[in-house]
Amino acid sequence: MALILLLALSIAEFFIMLYLDAYQESLSFIEAAVLDAIVLSLLLTPVVYMSEIRPVLSMANALREDERNMLISHHVFECSSEMLIVFDDGWCSSFYNSASKNKFACDGMITFETIVSDEQQAEKIKVWLYTNDHWTGQLDLLDCTGLVLHSHSSITKIANLDSDGVKYALIAADITDAIQTQNNLDFLTKFDPVTTLQNSFSFEQRVLKQLSSVKNGRFCVAVIRIENLKSIFSMHGDPATNKLICSISHELEDLVDSDQLARLSKDEFGLIMLNYFDEDALHFTLNKVVEIVETERLVGGVRVLPRCDIGCCCATEVKDGESIISCAFVALDHGKRAGARIEFYDSQIKHAEIQKAVFRNELRDAVRQMDFDIVFQPQVDINNNTLTGVEALLRWNNNGENVSPAIFVSELEQSGAIYDVGMWVLRQCCKKGKRWFDEGTVPFSIAVNVSALQLMNENFRRDVMEVLATTHFPPSLLELEFTESSMVADPVAAEQVMSDLGSLGVKIAIDDFGTGYSSLSYLKKFKTLDKLKIDKSFVDSLNDGEGESVITDAIIGLAKSLHLKAIAEGVEGDHQVAYLKSHGCDQLQGYLISKPIKEDELLEFAKGYANKLHSVAANV
């Protein structure tokens, strides 16, 4: 810019000089002097600019930059979400930003003492800053409405800033929401969010604490389970079920102190009972609990009746190292199996549970080694008395004792091992059947029971096909028996599995037909059935009452109308055979024919089977 200005002045001077040369003779003395002054000033302008004007302009630019920075700083100060306050040496505000004004400037003035909720903490901070330059920590502040704000704050002492003396700059970040979130998390670790009762963790801690301080032994823990809460939930959903739980918990709190009560899970409560007078007082409290829980209530516009079971354990029954809560749960489960509404833990229950644990371990070992036996019960044609098939039945001999299938099969289902055991039975039967077939034994079908857990397993269809493929057992000689309950649990999936297996030639039978409440309504959904098995309970009662005979007749008639075979199991008397044959039953199975027998006995039975029903048939 300076070079351009100098060049312009030089050009102007050149033209003026030309002008002077041309007109100097006609100018007066005064005019000539003025022109000389002008020329001289023009010549001196660059020098003046360089020495005086440029420094002044530079200073002005610097002032403008400082002003711009100050404006930026002021904007940041005002727009900050953190609360910024500068106090003078009397701890009164010199100035503050908008965030502080909105919270604390009730009357235009902010003082340190009025905004700090803890007066002692405020004094300690002042004392600290008397000898130190900086303080930081959590500071609880009071806003204009008296609401406490939790903050993370820092205060810096600013000395020798001006003649006004020392100043203190407070920067406070509001952490109220963060602390509230943490408090909520802490609450959830100790309390149930629905009922605000203690949760299982807090209950266990309280039990341990109070158990250690009990001197008179009058300490009892009860666990209360609402047995039908899951069905209530499935019908009415979460909100309505939560209202039910809250209603029950509030009434229980009226009976006992809230610190004695806990919600252990969705359908379980825990209760501590201290210093009861005697067992009668204990039973009185527990019966009141039952009365409260089993009060009819309105849920989702529908009246429901919750049902509960209670397991209790007193401190006197607990040995060192045992959990009194666990023992209460043991009593609860034992009482449920025994049909007792309120059950107390004692030495007999303890012994039974020990035996059960031993039983489970032995069964687990048996599953690991597949240490089971398979026996076969023959099935015969009621009209021509020929052997048509056998039903494979699982047996377990545990240390010389034959364990009832009703016991160990139920345990296999509960443990989930029933699938592996069931597939082992199927494979063994197919292997044996293929060997019998190859040896020239008269071909007959082998019926294998299938549990609901097997049917619902996504791999069941594939695994059955794999067994048939690897054993080369004819699918037409395999019969799978499903119970009604297993089929109606998911009829669409069951029908798909049965359809796929039926397409291979596998026969499908419904076991214990007539014992399910929805037999007839679901039967029409299954298109691939081959056989209905009449339950033994109907066969046993054929001559005891007309009602049972009507049911048996209906099942046989239904089978005929659907072109299915009807087989009666549990046949033990000639009169039963006569009745079943006269009413059109197709096959028989039971002790009259043969008890369940081992493989070698079965082969002899098949070879030497005689017309055991000939005399009966002749009289029909």
Side-chain angles (χ1 to χ4, degrees):
M1 179 64 73
L3 291 175
I4 294 173
L5 182 59
L6 182 61
L7 179 60
L9 291 173
S10 300
I11 294 172
E13 181 181 0
F14 172 75
F15 284 105
I16 291 172
M17 292 303 295
L18 290 177
Y19 176 81
L20 291 176
D21 289 340
Y23 296 101
Q24 190 171 14
E25 292 181 358
S26 62
L27 293 175
S28 66
F29 174 78
I30 294 175
E31 291 173 333
V34 171
L35 285 174
D36 289 338
I38 292 172
V39 171
L40 181 61
S41 65
L42 290 174
L43 292 174
L44 292 175
T45 295
V47 178
V48 172
Y49 172 78
M50 296 297 292
S51 62
E52 298 293 341
I53 296 176
R54 189 169 65 178
V56 172
L57 292 176
S58 297
M59 184 179 298
N61 289 334
L63 289 173
R64 282 196 297 272
E65 185 67 24
D66 289 343
E67 183 180 358
R68 187 182 301 110
N69 290 337
M70 288 181 67
L71 289 173
I72 293 173
S73 299
H74 178 74
H75 181 74
V76 172
F77 182 81
E78 279 298 312
C79 295
S80 175
S81 61
E82 295 181 334
M83 295 163 282
L84 308 174
I85 308 172
V86 176
F87 296 100
D88 58 22
D89 53 6
W91 291 94
C92 295
S93 59
S94 298
F95 52 91
Y96 42 79
N97 66 349
S98 297
S100 302
K101 179 180 179 180
N102 295 335
K103 295 290 185 182
F104 307 116
C106 307
D107 54 4
M109 175 64 71
I110 302 175
T111 63
F112 190 65
E113 287 81 0
T114 58
I115 67 171
V116 178
S117 64
D118 188 338
E119 295 181 2
Q120 292 184 351
Q121 186 182 20
E123 287 302 318
K124 288 180 180 179
I125 292 173
K126 287 182 181 181
V127 172
W128 173 266
L129 290 173
Y130 184 76
T131 56
N132 297 274
D133 295 332
H134 188 75
W135 177 91
T136 184
Q138 183 173 326
L139 194 61
D140 290 342
L141 306 174
L142 292 173
D143 67 6
C144 291
T145 65
L147 181 67
V148 175
L149 303 177
H150 304 292
S151 75
H152 181 75
S153 300
S154 64
I155 304 176
T156 302
K157 181 168 64 175
I158 307 173
N160 301 321
L161 187 64
D162 52 33
S163 58
D164 293 336
V166 177
K167 293 187 182 298
Y168 302 94
L170 167 66
I171 302 176
D174 189 351
I175 58 172
T176 304
D177 290 343
I179 289 180
Q180 185 61 48
T181 300
Q182 184 60 48
N183 290 339
N184 290 340
L185 292 174
D186 292 341
F187 176 84
L188 291 176
T189 61
K190 297 177 182 179
F191 297 93
D192 171 57
V194 176
T195 62
T196 70
L197 295 174
Q198 301 172 83
N199 61 14
S200 58
F201 173 79
S202 298
F203 186 70
E204 183 176 352
Q205 298 303 310
R206 183 170 292 277
V207 167
L208 292 174
K209 181 179 179 180
Q210 293 190 342
L211 185 60
S212 63
S213 62
V214 170
K215 303 298 182 183
N216 56 14
R218 293 177 181 172
F219 181 88
C220 183
V221 168
V223 287
I224 306 134
R225 180 182 296 152
I226 304 176
E227 297 294 349
N228 58 339
L229 188 68
K230 290 180 180 177
S231 62
I232 294 174
F233 168 77
S234 64
M235 292 179 61
H236 303 287
D238 231 358
T241 306
N242 285 342
K243 288 182 180 179
L244 171 68
I245 288 295
C246 288
S247 175
I248 292 173
S249 67
H250 291 158
E251 292 185 29
L252 290 176
E253 285 183 281
D254 292 336
L255 178 67
V256 297
D257 293 337
S258 59
D259 61 352
Q260 296 176 244
L261 192 64
R263 190 184 184 196
L264 306 181
S265 67
K266 283 186 175 295
D267 57 358
E268 292 171 341
F269 290 92
L271 176 63
I272 299 173
M273 288 171 286
L274 290 166
N275 301 320
Y276 48 88
F277 296 106
D278 51 31
E279 289 190 6
D280 288 341
L282 201 59
H283 279 277
F284 176 82
T285 301
L286 294 174
N287 284 320
K288 290 295 291 184
V289 169
V290 173
E291 182 181 328
I292 289 172
V293 175
E294 298 193 347
T295 298
E296 188 179 64
R297 301 171 193 274
L298 197 64
V299 177
V302 179
R303 292 196 173 276
V304 298
L305 185 63
R307 185 192 179 282
C308 74
D309 290 318
I310 300 177
C312 305
C313 182
C314 296
T316 52
E317 296 292 338
V318 178
K319 306 301 181 183
D320 291 340
E322 291 182 323
S323 167
I324 190 171
I325 300 178
S326 297
C327 291
F329 272 109
V330 168
L332 174 66
D333 294 334
H334 186 274
K336 182 180 178 180
R337 290 192 297 270
R341 183 63 56 86
I342 301 173
E343 185 70 271
F344 281 83
Y345 183 83
D346 57 22
S347 58
Q348 291 183 344
I349 291 179
K350 180 178 180 180
H351 177 73
E353 290 301 315
I354 292 174
Q355 291 300 110
K356 187 175 181 180
V358 172
F359 171 80
R360 286 174 173 172
N361 290 335
E362 292 172 343
L363 182 58
R364 192 179 301 114
D365 292 338
V367 171
R368 190 179 298 113
Q369 302 171 20
M370 288 300 168
D371 187 17
F372 299 100
D373 296 319
I374 301 175
V375 295
F376 304 90
Q377 188 168 34
Q379 300 170 336
V380 299
D381 187 288
I382 198 170
N383 294 306
N384 58 28
N385 305 323
T386 57
L387 179 66
T388 58
V390 295
E391 179 182 3
L393 301 169
L394 188 65
R395 296 291 185 264
W396 180 35
N397 186 289
N398 183 31
N399 299 322
E401 178 184 355
N402 290 319
V403 184
S404 169
I407 297 175
F408 76 82
V409 170
S410 175
E411 189 62 39
L412 288 174
E413 289 179 336
Q414 291 181 24
S415 67
I418 189 64
Y419 187 84
D420 292 336
V421 175
M423 294 310 302
W424 176 81
V425 171
L426 178 64
R427 186 176 295 277
Q428 293 300 311
C429 288
C430 290
K431 284 182 178 180
K432 294 177 186 294
K434 180 62 167 64
R435 188 175 69 250
W436 300 339
F437 186 81
D438 291 343
E439 291 173 353
T441 304
V442 177
F444 49 80
S445 64
I446 301 177
V448 179
N449 290 282
V450 177
S451 74
L453 294 178
Q454 287 177 271
L455 180 60
M456 292 300 104
N457 189 298
E458 60 181 6
N459 298 323
F460 177 70
R461 177 175 29 195
R462 180 202 67 190
D463 290 344
V464 172
M465 293 179 178
E466 186 269 336
V467 168
L468 290 172
T470 55
T471 62
H472 305 289
F473 182 65
S476 60
L477 296 181
L478 176 63
E479 182 178 294
L480 298 180
E481 292 188 2
F482 302 95
T483 62
E484 287 181 83
S485 59
S486 68
M487 300 175 74
V488 301
D490 189 346
V492 175
E495 168 58 21
Q496 184 61 53
V497 171
M498 291 188 293
S499 177
D500 291 344
L501 295 177
S503 65
L504 298 176
V506 176
K507 302 295 187 294
I508 306 295
I510 298 183
D511 195 14
D512 302 333
F513 187 80
T515 59
Y517 66 90
S518 55
S519 304
L520 301 181
S521 63
Y522 277 94
L523 191 62
K524 62 183 181 180
K525 296 180 180 293
F526 306 117
K527 310 298 183 183
T528 54
L529 294 178
D530 297 281
K531 186 185 294 185
L532 298 182
K533 296 192 74 174
I534 304 171
D535 187 66
K536 184 179 184 300
S537 62
F538 300 129
V539 176
D540 288 343
S541 306
L542 276 179
N543 296 327
D544 294 341
E546 187 177 346
E548 287 76 6
S549 300
V550 170
I551 294 175
T552 303
D553 294 347
I555 295 174
I556 295 173
L558 181 64
K560 293 298 180 183
S561 65
L562 296 175
H563 307 290
L564 305 176
K565 296 288 186 182
I567 178 172
E569 55 184 354
V571 177
E572 298 179 356
D574 291 346
H575 63 285
Q576 294 171 333
V577 176
Y579 183 93
L580 291 167
K581 184 174 183 179
S582 65
H583 285 78
C585 186
D586 299 293
Q587 297 176 1
L588 304 175
Q589 175 182 341
Y591 271 51
L592 182 66
I593 312 302
S594 172
K595 66 179 182 179
I597 53 181
K598 294 184 179 180
E599 178 184 358
D600 54 348
E601 297 176 284
L602 172 64
L603 296 179
E604 290 299 321
F605 179 90
K607 292 176 182 178
Y609 181 68
N611 286 342
K612 294 185 177 182
L613 303 181
H614 180 73
S615 59
V616 175
N619 296 325
V620 175

